[in-house]
Amino acid sequence: MELSKRQERIIEIVKEAGPITGENIAEKLSLTRATLRPDLAILTMAGFLDARPRVGYFFTGKTGSELLTEQIKKFKVQQFQHVPIVLKESVSVYDAISTMFLEDVGTLFVVDDHSCLTGVLSRKDLLRASIGQQDLNSVPVHIIMTRMPNITVCRKEDLLIDVAMKLINKQIDGIPVVRDTEAGLEVIGRITKTTITKVFVELITNDQV
Ligand code: ADP
């Protein structure tokens, strides 16, 4: 996060003279306590300063990048997951390709009658099927998909950083978010490389991720 000149000055004062009361910080800056209140609230919430009752403000010793790292490590899948695009196993490869274009996604999930995960279709899976001689209208996706139990999944309470690592380690573009049910793993969302890229850009351009 970008600090204002005044906020940087407050950090300097607290580093030098902390623990120090809000009143005393205000005095040193020739401002009123009320004027400083929003800045102190921001610096405390962001983790640069800590406050103890009857003691005052003190410097936590954490740098901006340490605080950013702490913040990112708390991100959960459910805050960022997108709607999954799913198909039934009997859908043709031709229709799967159409769906990929219409929905503008790179990964499709295949489900059974209970909305439970049975397979994954990537762009290359569909390309591979297309360069064969078959009639794409007569080949169902369950013939060509990557199938359970070889699918990497995540759950809504997982940490986003762990899912990002799975995307890298498994060299895949998308991971379904699933919920455990009696019938199997119900597909409830997706995390893709685009999700992670968006989080990265928002962290830089906008503090309110
Ligand atoms: P592409 O093949 O278009 O580059 P991916 O890298 O995502 O896209 O897919 C590579 C292979 O991994 C494909 O065969 C695909 O079916 C499979 N795959 C994709 N996502 C997963 C996943 N979450 N779990 C297991 N396999 C996957």
Side-chain angles (χ1 to χ4, degrees):
M1 80 185 258
E2 194 88 19
L3 296 181
S4 69
K5 282 265 168 301
R6 187 197 282 166
Q7 288 164 353
E8 279 176 6
R9 187 75 193 98
I10 293 172
I11 291 180
E12 285 312 311
I13 291 172
V14 177
K15 261 190 205 172
E16 276 167 28
I20 177 170
T21 62
E23 206 64 57
N24 289 343
I25 300 171
E27 233 167 66
K28 282 180 185 281
L29 290 170
S30 310
L31 295 166
T32 65
R33 173 82 178 84
T35 315
L36 274 197
R37 197 161 289 135
D39 291 316
L40 288 169
I42 288 168
L43 291 172
T44 312
M45 269 192 300
F48 288 101
L49 303 183
D50 216 339
R52 273 198 213 119
R54 289 183 298 279
V55 178
Y57 291 91
F58 59 92
F59 183 56
T60 57
K62 288 178 183 158
T63 62
S65 68
E66 278 171 339
L67 293 166
L68 187 62
T69 306
E70 274 180 19
Q71 191 190 349
I72 294 171
K73 281 185 182 161
K74 285 190 203 133
F75 289 165
K76 294 277 179 75
V77 163
Q78 63 191 346
Q79 296 167 255
F80 303 98
Q81 70 190 48
H82 289 112
V83 177
I85 308 301
V86 298
L87 299 175
K88 288 279 169 65
E89 296 181 325
S90 56
V91 164
S92 69
V93 169
Y94 186 94
D95 285 343
I97 294 172
S98 305
T99 305
M100 201 171 257
F101 277 103
L102 284 174
E103 299 287 351
D104 199 12
V105 292
T107 308
L108 299 167
F109 303 115
V110 183
V111 296
D112 62 17
D113 291 337
H114 305 283
S115 301
C116 290
L117 183 65
T118 59
V120 175
L121 292 165
S122 75
R123 282 179 263 235
K124 256 181 261 156
D125 294 331
L126 295 173
L127 268 178
R128 197 182 302 114
S130 306
I131 56 175
Q133 299 302 315
Q134 315 102 307
D135 171 13
L136 300 182
N137 276 305
S138 61
V139 182
V141 289
H142 72 82
I143 303 285
I144 66 151
M145 68 190 190
T146 299
R147 53 183 58 250
M148 285 293 273
N150 301 321
I151 301 180
T152 303
V153 300
C154 67
R155 291 174 173 78
K156 66 179 180 7
E157 55 282 350
D158 289 348
L159 293 175
L160 193 67
I161 184 68
D162 291 338
V163 180
M165 284 178 189
K166 282 185 186 175
L167 287 170
I168 303 274
N169 294 337
K170 305 274 181 179
Q171 300 187 336
I172 48 180
D173 291 349
I175 296 186
V177 185
V178 298
R179 176 165 55 208
D180 299 87
T181 70
E182 298 217 329
L185 301 177
E186 186 190 348
V187 182
I188 57 170
R190 69 188 155 100
I191 295 286
T192 65
K193 286 185 177 169
T194 307
T195 319
I196 309 294
T197 310
K198 275 190 184 153
V199 171
F200 175 77
V201 170
E202 279 173 33
L203 271 171
I204 307 300
T205 56
N206 161 19
D207 290 335
Q208 313 303 315
V209 175

